[in-house]
Amino acid sequence: MLVDTERCTGCHTCAFGCKSENNLPNNVWWNKTITGTPGKPDENRKMDEPEGKFVSKGGIVIDKDKNIMPLTLEYYTKACQHCSNPVCVEACPTGATYVRADGIVEVDSEKCIGCDSCIDACPYDVRHHNTEGQQYGGNFPVGGMGIKPHTPETVDKCNFCAHRVDRGGEPFCVTNCPAKARYFGDINNPKSEVAQILKKRKYVLLRPEAGTKPSVYFLV
Amino acid sequence: MFNIKLSRRKLIKSSAIAGAATLTGSLGNIRFAEAKPVSETEQVFAGVCRNNCQSLCRLNAFVRNGRLVRTEMAPSVPASELHNPHPKDTRFNSICLRGLSTVHRVYGTNRLHYPVKQTKKRGDMSGFVRISWEQAIKEIGEKFSKLLKTPDGGRTIGVMLNSGNAGRLQGQTGAIAAFRSIIKGNNMWHGLDGAIQVGFSKVCGYKAFYTVGNEPADMINAKTIFLWGSNMAEAHRMTWNLVQQAKEKGSKIISVDTSYNITSSKVDKLIAVKPGSDTMVALAMMNHIIYKKPEWLDKPFMCENSVAPFLVRSDTKNFLRGKDLVNGKAGNTNYVAYNTKQKNLEEAKWVDIKPGANMYGGPKAVLSGGANYELEKEMQVEIQERDASGAVTGKKTVTVTPAFGLLKKHVKKYTPEYAEAYTGLSPAVTREMTEQFAAPKNKPVSVYVSYGAGQYYNSHHTSHALCSLGAITGTYQKPGACVGSYFIDGNFAVHNNFARPAGVRVPHLPALYVRDALEKDNHPMRGLIIANANPVNCYTNQKKDWIDYILPKMDVVVTLDMERTDTTDYSDYILPVAGWYEVDDIITGRKHPFVMLQEKAIEPEGESKSDMECIRLIVDELDKHMPDLKGGQYFRKTDGTVKTDWDYIKESINPVMGLSADKLKQEKTMRYIPRDKELVFAENGYYSTPSGRLEFYCEDPTFVARLFPYGQAETMTEEAKDLERLPGWEEPSEAWFGPTERKELEALRKKYPLQAYYEHNRWRVHSQWAFVPWLRELDPEPKVKISPEDAVKYGNIKDGDYVKVSNDRGFAIMKAVISSSLPQGILNLDRGWHRSQYTTKFGNGGSSQELTNPAYHDSNMNQSYFDALVKIEKV
């Protein structure tokens, strides 16, 4: 998955869409919109708070041509990175977390014992432990077709909307990004859109030093 | 290695709360590429998110077991025979977290399910009791007919309709508008974002009140885009995509604003002006062009398409007309210009300009001599005088000046140096932005003027001045060039004739004038019916004008809504209306070049009924009391049967461009602008002004009084009239930090040193989406942003502190957010929270709408939300 941070306006639609498609419990967000620069350790930044100071030079606050930028405001989104070297898989004692043939890192709820080893191992803080009695936005199931139930005492996370991918589609956040900032495809296929874009654009990965080899690329 | 916490998960008790694995059957008619049949039944319906964020995003509504389960962005517009240049047109595809949260509004705890009656004092929540539809309609019929039978008739009832629903049948121009026509109730012009439109329509034509602008996608053709008073990347998400495309293509994007926001982070340049000084900025830009860079003027364009060459009499300040010239015949309305080649006065000929696709047509004053007209010098002309009856009484010599000459004289003093104290822009910055706007190398230029610039007492001058800039530089009638609001006129494709029975005239009582009308004019209005509107939440001076004064004067208040709001809280009768996905409807206009269909996806929740049915029931009841009203006929076919929503759809679609209800049913979305390029506003050269041209000089300064009359024209002073003919400079009412001679303002600034500005953020649109729980997870409570400097200055306010923002009109308790997005002197307040959502930790929490300023300008009738001063203190 590619996320074009130039196009992203931090609108939270992908995060909200994820919640809606996957019928997530209240206060659970598999995908979060973060105010900040991908790759920078600034996740505690206040939502929508620019970095810097409001300075007006005779009325000019921003002039990119003259490199006048006393304030910057960036967003990125964070969900499971579907790493090619997933430490969560290593950490899972029951084999519940596994890598599908297509590269999606998935949790088999039947095998998961809710031990949270994966949560501890994951450097991205993107996994959620379902609890008994967690509340939902509505009183009947909403969301996409074929979504996973959120079984209490198991761990859940973004699975690139595997139920949509299996039908030949794309994750909800990709098709519903109003900024057209998200791309999904097979990076190993050099003809794919994602591979083509990656050839041309600079990108950053989240915490590359963790050695996880994330599959989510942030175009900058 | 890992600290493994072993714990057994409990058995799943029920699968009801998550996933839907038990449904069987075959897939419905899904147009998504990814959708392959799976063993679940799901139906998909075309829909439109139709609040007034202006985007009107097309989305698909998915239904399982008769219930809406999710909404998604609708895919590309289908290719059709309507000459769509983009067979897979994705440019207008959009959605946001609000559109995706539809399910929460349909089934939310805030949803109204039954008719309700207030049995105690208005506003007392314990007084609401459920009643039957029969009882509700009977009692409303009795109360309304009692008022209507008085000699004041329809003037006794105010009909309040706003932009809560853009559906042509159930929304603001539909059922409730029909009710107003039938009872001849008061047209209560809301004044919401009105000022900007007033300036636009003065210059560009009254028919284009809302719709001055090329098709938004045309901005992609611009080399330079000004976003004036627009946080587009947050507030007009769909339109921003088009600007983003322009940006990626290499266009320069310049934002003119007062503070920093998401849009600022994406543009090439952010120019921060003093709040309320936008008119002065435009005047100084005109000054710079006219006096220092006349080569940037487009003289041929001015002569052909603006009133620039037309001579204006110095005595009457009216245009010189054929009837005024010696031997001119009575009734000769021809405008007159001085032809410099032929060295004589030339009368413009009236030529009937044919309407174009989505363009108005009509008489235009046309000159024959190209650019060869005197534009500046005043001259003496011998004219004949006429008496009131039109008979010639004698001759005299008057001084006449081309309208452009008057504009030139008018802007003479507004040099960039003079303007600096007002605008906060250094002369160099003003000159630079003028160059960016007018220099040929930066053209074509699109100026997207949004409502951030329209929330002040003086805002109609801003759009008047900006359009004047456009008129003198030829920034119209070309791809990529326009100064406007970039709305598309949907009335070409869909009419609402059922809502406006021919020949019916209704009385006017602008909402902002209601208090004065009741207080000073002894106005007879005693009843209100409100639909698609939440005035108690959204109108200025909420507490002192609406809750404490106007509502208590009403005998009966009836509100139609799908959700509980501040307005339903203060109503006597609440009628629950069907939600957007529970009815058939058609949607057009705003930022879309499409006619879009809303298919009924689910049954109305509870006992709710469509707006159309609610109104018909009330009208039928009134017919019983008042047989002469004969209102029921408007909801029935000639054979007497009640019209269905599809009947209205069929009769409302104009058969232009092959549009028809049947085709719409099939295609769901149809483009109605039949071009191989984007729509260009007034490309046929016709503007719906008196001259058919761009009128930066407005002959009739009582222009607004013709739109929203309440007697203001009669009392207008000469001084006030002069301010309206050319774009005048007036200070904002309160929120003004520039030079002033008003002593009372100086005193007010000392008491209340901060401007209260209200951003339009992505967590709501106006007061809608206020109770969506998932949105409240992201945006949990009312907040006020304050600059770090002001936070220190006003009591060392810390992030997260509860603060009281107040002025003489009221107060709000809000959570402080220290933000470097703001310069000193400006507070950024949330709006749209309902009164019940403010904290009660410190007693009454007030509301940020209590603080807003109800001062109205007789020439714009605008709700000037940002034009208020406040103070802030820790609670």
Side-chain angles (χ1 to χ4, degrees):
Chain A
M1 183 182 285
L2 314 184
V3 180
D4 187 342
T5 59
E6 291 283 322
R7 285 187 178 177
C8 176
T9 58
C11 69
H12 291 255
T13 305
C14 57
F16 199 98
C18 166
K19 209 162 153 65
S20 158
E21 172 72 6
N22 292 294
N23 191 24
L24 299 186
N26 292 346
N27 294 305
V28 175
W29 298 78
W30 282 356
N31 182 20
K32 285 180 185 161
T33 303
I34 292 166
T35 303
T37 312
K40 272 194 186 173
D42 53 1
E43 283 178 22
N44 292 324
R45 285 265 298 287
K46 262 187 311 194
M47 191 191 284
D48 297 342
E49 177 61 11
E51 218 176 325
K53 202 169 155 23
F54 192 100
V55 183
S56 169
K57 283 185 182 152
I60 294 289
V61 181
I62 303 291
D63 191 340
K64 286 182 183 159
D65 287 344
K66 294 180 186 159
N67 209 22
I68 300 173
M69 282 186 280
L71 286 166
T72 55
L73 176 58
E74 289 174 282
Y75 297 92
Y76 68 102
T77 62
K78 198 177 72 169
C80 176
Q81 302 295 299
H82 295 277
C83 309
S84 351
N85 185 19
V87 290
C88 51
V89 173
E90 245 175 76
C92 179
T94 66
T97 293
Y98 67 104
V99 185
R100 297 183 0 157
D102 59 3
I104 293 177
V105 178
E106 177 65 293
V107 183
D108 181 343
S109 305
E110 288 302 313
K111 289 189 187 163
C112 179
I113 54 170
C115 68
D116 290 357
S117 309
C118 54
I119 294 180
D120 296 338
C122 174
Y124 302 106
D125 186 24
V126 290
R127 289 174 161 256
H128 169 71
H129 181 106
N130 289 312
T131 53
E132 189 68 52
Q134 55 193 5
Q135 299 291 305
Y136 289 81
N139 56 3
F140 63 93
V142 298
M145 279 191 298
I147 56 171
K148 275 175 70 178
H150 310 303
T151 314
E153 304 309 330
T154 66
V155 172
D156 256 357
K157 64 167 190 67
C158 156
N159 63 354
F160 272 169
C161 287
H163 57 283
R164 291 167 74 99
V165 173
D166 288 345
R167 297 203 295 271
E170 296 181 326
F172 190 93
C173 61
V174 174
T175 39
N176 282 273
C177 172
K180 301 178 175 71
R182 298 170 89 83
Y183 303 86
F184 185 74
D186 181 2
I187 207 160
N188 297 320
N189 174 2
K191 283 184 187 153
S192 68
E193 189 186 21
V194 286
Q196 292 291 325
I197 293 170
L198 273 191
K199 257 198 258 174
K200 281 183 240 153
R201 295 277 302 268
K202 279 190 191 160
Y203 61 85
V204 296
L205 301 172
L206 297 187
R207 301 200 60 181
E209 74 283 1
T212 50
K213 296 194 180 155
S215 301
V216 180
Y217 296 75
F218 295 90
L219 305 173
V220 291
Chain B
M1 260 172 63
F2 294 105
N3 176 22
I4 300 175
K5 289 178 275 180
L6 287 173
S7 63
R8 277 271 146 212
R9 70 178 159 87
K10 293 173 189 133
L11 282 174
I12 316 160
K13 281 183 185 149
S14 156
S15 63
I17 51 170
T22 54
L23 311 171
T24 54
S26 66
L27 193 72
N29 171 30
I30 292 188
R31 295 194 298 195
F32 284 110
E34 67 266 28
K36 285 181 188 162
V38 297
S39 59
E40 291 182 53
T41 301
E42 191 165 65
Q43 291 168 288
V44 60
F45 298 88
V48 179
C49 185
R50 49 190 183 275
N51 65 95
N52 196 17
C53 83
Q54 306 177 3
S55 293
L56 299 180
C57 297
R58 295 174 302 108
L59 38 80
N60 281 344
F62 292 83
V63 175
R64 288 197 296 262
N65 280 358
R67 291 190 292 198
L68 188 70
V69 291
R70 74 178 185 283
T71 44
E72 290 195 29
M73 181 198 280
S76 315
V77 177
S80 76
E81 67 268 41
L82 295 189
H83 200 144
N84 189 338
H86 307 276
K88 288 273 178 228
D89 195 349
T90 60
R91 296 170 306 166
F92 293 89
N93 287 12
S94 195
I95 190 77
C96 75
L97 65 179
R98 292 162 302 210
L100 293 181
S101 63
T102 305
V103 172
H104 292 259
R105 295 188 66 190
V106 173
Y107 303 109
T109 51
N110 209 40
R111 182 72 196 263
L112 298 166
H113 290 93
Y114 313 104
V116 167
K117 176 189 178 174
Q118 175 61 273
T119 55
K120 294 181 184 165
K121 195 171 167 281
R122 202 175 283 146
D124 182 343
M125 288 303 111
S126 71
F128 281 118
V129 295
R130 177 180 170 181
I131 55 173
S132 68
W133 271 99
E134 290 68 29
Q135 186 188 347
I137 297 298
K138 188 168 172 282
E139 292 185 18
I140 292 167
E142 276 164 13
K143 293 196 163 146
F144 276 175
S145 62
K146 196 176 150 202
L147 288 169
L148 291 170
K149 281 181 187 167
T150 63
D152 290 307
R155 293 182 74 220
T156 56
I157 295 177
V159 182
M160 307 189 82
L161 48 93
N162 288 168
S163 56
N165 177 0
R168 286 301 186 112
L169 309 186
Q170 323 295 351
Q172 67 183 126
T173 54
I176 184 69
F179 184 76
R180 181 175 68 193
S181 298
I182 290 164
I183 65 160
K184 296 184 181 64
N186 294 307
N187 177 348
M188 294 178 69
W189 167 243
H190 46 68
L192 304 167
D193 304 316
I196 284 284
Q197 322 296 351
V198 166
F200 280 149
S201 49
K202 247 183 181 183
V203 181
C204 304
Y206 73 95
K207 284 183 183 167
F209 187 75
Y210 280 114
T211 55
V212 175
N214 299 351
E215 172 179 348
D218 175 61
M219 281 190 283
I220 300 170
N221 300 320
K223 209 165 170 188
T224 309
I225 299 174
F226 278 80
L227 304 177
W228 204 297
S230 170
N231 181 4
M232 189 198 267
E234 178 164 14
H236 291 167
R237 210 12 290 189
M238 183 199 80
T239 323
W240 172 257
N241 278 356
L242 305 166
V243 173
Q244 175 72 26
Q245 281 182 50
K247 194 180 147 188
E248 289 175 11
K249 208 185 86 260
S251 311
K252 283 271 173 253
I253 320 294
I254 299 167
S255 167
V256 181
D257 215 312
T258 61
S259 56
Y260 185 92
N261 52 41
I262 295 174
T263 306
S264 318
S265 73
K266 297 285 176 191
V267 298
D268 294 290
K269 195 182 269 193
L270 167 63
I271 299 168
V273 301
K274 271 189 193 158
S277 73
D278 305 72
T279 311
M280 185 60 87
V281 178
L283 289 169
M285 287 170 77
M286 275 194 273
N287 171 289
H288 182 56
I289 294 172
I290 295 174
Y291 287 94
K292 295 285 158 58
K293 297 284 180 186
E295 66 271 24
W296 292 346
L297 293 167
D298 189 338
K299 224 179 143 185
F301 180 88
M302 271 200 273
C303 288
E304 196 185 332
N305 294 305
S306 83
V307 289
F310 292 155
L311 301 169
V312 179
R313 290 172 57 162
S314 61
D315 54 346
T316 58
K317 297 179 181 172
N318 289 336
F319 284 110
L320 182 70
R321 306 290 187 129
K323 68 177 167 54
D324 301 330
L325 299 174
V326 175
N327 299 327
K329 288 201 178 104
N332 179 343
T333 59
N334 294 347
Y335 291 79
V336 182
Y338 183 79
N339 188 317
T340 49
K341 208 166 175 187
Q342 293 169 2
K343 299 202 178 351
N344 61 8
L345 294 178
E346 180 187 328
E347 288 184 36
K349 302 274 178 298
W350 286 111
V351 175
D352 209 33
I353 306 292
K354 285 200 175 62
N358 245 62
M359 277 171 230
Y360 290 101
K364 178 176 180 176
V366 172
L367 293 167
S368 63
N372 298 309
Y373 293 94
E374 177 56 47
L375 291 179
E376 299 187 11
K377 284 188 211 115
E378 56 178 49
M379 57 194 90
Q380 308 295 314
V381 176
E382 193 174 39
I383 61 159
Q384 52 190 14
E385 287 188 285
R386 294 175 182 275
D387 63 15
S389 72
V392 177
T393 55
K395 289 180 187 173
K396 75 168 182 178
T397 300
V398 294
T399 304
V400 294
T401 315
F404 178 75
L406 293 176
L407 180 70
K408 181 172 179 175
K409 215 160 120 189
H410 173 65
V411 301
K412 189 172 184 202
K413 77 170 182 183
Y414 302 118
T415 61
E417 286 74 14
Y418 175 92
E420 185 175 9
Y422 295 79
T423 62
L425 303 185
S426 75
V429 169
T430 301
R431 285 193 281 267
E432 198 181 298
M433 73 188 282
T434 310
E435 183 178 347
Q436 212 101 42
F437 169 77
K441 63 173 180 183
N442 297 321
K443 287 182 156 188
V445 56
S446 295
V447 184
Y448 181 99
V449 187
S450 197
Y451 298 141
Q455 311 289 347
Y456 300 87
Y457 177 79
N458 63 358
S459 287
H460 65 301
H461 297 310
T462 298
S463 42
H464 186 174
L466 287 170
C467 289
S468 304
L469 258 174
I472 63 173
T473 53
T475 314
Y476 283 101
Q477 296 172 226
K478 300 173 187 75
C482 190
V483 181
S485 56
Y486 284 79
F487 273 57
I488 299 175
D489 198 332
N491 293 327
F492 287 96
V494 178
H495 65 73
N496 274 97
N497 291 350
F498 68 85
R500 298 187 195 88
V504 170
R505 293 198 156 269
V506 299
H508 284 263
L509 179 59
L512 278 170
Y513 189 67
V514 170
R515 181 170 182 150
D516 281 353
L518 295 171
E519 221 166 22
K520 296 175 189 160
D521 302 349
N522 199 23
H523 195 281
M525 186 172 81
R526 291 295 176 271
L528 286 175
I529 180 163
I530 303 163
N532 300 302
N534 186 5
V536 177
N537 182 290
C538 295
Y539 285 14
T540 47
N541 204 9
Q542 179 187 64
K543 183 79 169 50
K544 288 198 170 167
D545 275 358
W546 288 92
I547 295 175
D548 292 347
Y549 189 87
I550 296 168
L551 290 172
K553 288 249 184 300
M554 297 297 119
D555 296 340
V556 56
V557 178
V558 177
T559 300
L560 282 62
D561 211 312
M562 57 183 186
E563 291 168 302
R564 179 190 164 193
T565 68
D566 278 345
T567 302
T568 63
D569 282 359
Y570 283 93
S571 300
D572 304 322
Y573 293 92
I574 308 170
L575 300 178
V577 299
W580 298 343
Y581 302 84
E582 298 155 30
V583 292
D584 289 315
D585 213 329
I586 35 175
I587 295 94
T588 53
R590 303 239 162 94
K591 308 277 156 145
H592 266 288
F594 306 124
V595 179
M596 299 172 284
L597 178 65
Q598 172 68 55
E599 295 174 305
K600 179 175 172 177
I602 47 174
E603 287 304 314
E605 269 289 281
E607 288 185 4
S608 66
K609 295 179 190 292
S610 72
D611 284 77
M612 197 62 93
E613 192 179 350
C614 287
I615 293 295
R616 177 175 58 77
L617 291 172
I618 297 174
V619 170
D620 282 352
E621 190 69 19
L622 289 175
D623 276 350
K624 289 184 201 160
H625 294 275
M626 309 163 68
D628 290 344
L629 191 66
K630 295 191 171 62
Q633 60 174 319
Y634 297 110
F635 302 91
R636 286 170 174 80
K637 293 192 268 196
T638 42
D639 66 3
T641 53
V642 172
K643 287 187 200 169
T644 65
D645 288 345
W646 265 100
D647 289 323
Y648 293 109
I649 291 174
K650 277 184 196 156
E651 69 176 57
S652 300
I653 293 181
N654 288 328
V656 291
M657 286 311 302
L659 290 182
S660 74
D662 289 341
K663 222 174 270 182
L664 185 63
K665 202 168 199 171
Q666 208 181 336
E667 302 216 0
K668 322 295 184 201
T669 299
M670 300 177 87
R671 185 180 166 94
Y672 57 86
I673 300 168
R675 301 293 300 262
D676 51 4
K677 58 174 186 156
E678 290 75 22
L679 172 77
V680 171
F681 173 71
E683 202 178 15
N684 60 351
Y686 176 74
Y687 301 85
S688 56
T689 54
S691 64
R693 292 167 170 242
L694 287 161
E695 296 200 349
F696 56 78
Y697 182 88
C698 180
E699 189 179 43
D700 177 7
T702 63
F703 178 83
V704 172
R706 284 188 271 127
L707 300 173
F708 327 117
Y710 52 92
Q712 75 271 52
E714 290 71 23
T715 56
M716 203 167 177
T717 63
E718 276 312 306
E719 197 189 359
K721 284 180 180 173
D722 279 343
L723 278 166
E724 299 304 320
R725 290 191 179 94
L726 288 162
W729 167 250
E730 281 184 275
E731 291 164 18
S733 157
E734 284 183 12
W736 178 235
F737 302 120
T740 185
E741 285 172 6
R742 287 182 290 156
K743 290 272 175 289
E744 74 279 9
L745 178 61
E746 282 173 15
L748 196 70
R749 283 169 177 173
K750 285 203 181 91
K751 198 171 170 194
Y752 301 117
L754 297 159
Q755 181 204 11
Y757 143 77
Y758 298 79
E759 74 175 3
H760 280 49
N761 59 36
R762 54 208 186 288
W763 315 124
R764 56 179 56 69
V765 174
H766 305 141
S767 64
Q768 296 197 64
W769 282 276
F771 294 92
V772 172
W774 290 357
L775 285 172
R776 299 291 70 81
E777 288 179 17
L778 296 167
D779 176 46
E781 61 183 316
K783 60 188 184 301
V784 52
K785 290 186 182 173
I786 181 169
S787 73
E789 297 82 3
D790 283 335
V792 172
K793 191 169 166 186
Y794 299 105
N796 212 11
I797 294 164
K798 296 275 185 294
D799 233 15
D801 281 350
Y802 279 108
V803 289
K804 181 178 181 182
V805 186
S806 62
N807 60 19
D808 287 345
R809 291 180 287 271
F811 71 96
I813 309 288
M814 310 178 89
K815 207 154 205 182
V817 175
I818 319 284
S819 176
S820 52
S821 63
L822 293 164
Q824 288 182 59
I826 301 179
L827 297 181
N828 176 357
L829 281 71
D830 276 358
R831 64 195 289 266
W833 290 94
H834 286 66
R835 294 183 66 84
S836 59
Q837 294 179 300
Y838 283 81
T839 180
T840 50
K841 272 184 196 160
F842 314 95
N844 175 8
S847 159
S848 65
Q849 201 64 274
E850 291 189 9
L851 305 162
T852 45
N853 185 354
Y856 56 86
H857 193 302
D858 275 339
S859 291
N860 69 21
M861 248 305 137
N862 187 49
Q863 304 233 21
S864 303
Y865 291 104
F866 301 174
D867 204 344
L869 288 176
V870 294
K871 65 176 178 180
I872 190 168
E873 62 206 310
K874 255 196 246 190
V875 183

